[in-house]
Amino acid sequence: QVQLVESGGGLVQAGGSQRLSCAASGRTFSSYAMGWFRQAPGKEREFVAAISWSGGNTYYADSVKGRFTISRDYAKNMVYLQMNSLKPEDTAVYYCAAGAGGGISQRGYNYWGQGTQVTVSS
């Protein structure tokens, strides 16, 4: 069982930066792939970024590639999403997820956080 708690959301101006954090509980954190997904109002939840259980592989949606960076800290059981050059279209609720499968599909994740709101003003 893994519990995930996101933090770091809020209001930011376009062009600015923000870092999201995800605190994971449970001793099996290191064996799970981790991902970030987001859901904008009126839209389906979509993939943003993922990192493999080893940390050796990362994946990004085309819309955030070059602007967002996912990382993980095994000692602290934390996953981060560094977001730079933010755009109004990045406004969404961001969710942290953990799963044995990982990857870009939501089906690869078994555990989800409650989400944190990110609002980018123009």
Side-chain angles (χ1 to χ4, degrees), residues 12-87:
V12 62
Q13 288 189 333
S17 297
Q18 201 161 33
R19 189 177 81 157
L20 303 183
S21 300
C22 175
S25 66
R27 297 183 178 181
T28 57
F29 169 76
S30 61
S31 64
Y32 285 109
M34 302 296 296
W36 287 96
F37 291 77
R38 67 186 182 187
Q39 187 168 21
K43 295 186 177 181
E44 295 185 352
R45 189 159 57 184
E46 64 176 7
F47 168 77
V48 176
I51 187 166
S52 62
W53 66 269
S54 68
N57 294 294
T58 56
Y59 310 89
Y60 297 94
D62 288 342
S63 59
V64 307
K65 201 170 293 183
R67 300 188 298 123
F68 290 12
T69 302
I70 188 172
S71 61
R72 63 191 300 168
D73 185 329
Y74 294 93
K76 296 181 179 180
N77 277 15
M78 296 289 292
V79 178
Y80 305 100
L81 185 67
Q82 178 66 44
M83 305 184 293
N84 299 328
S85 302
L86 283 162
K87 305 175 181 179

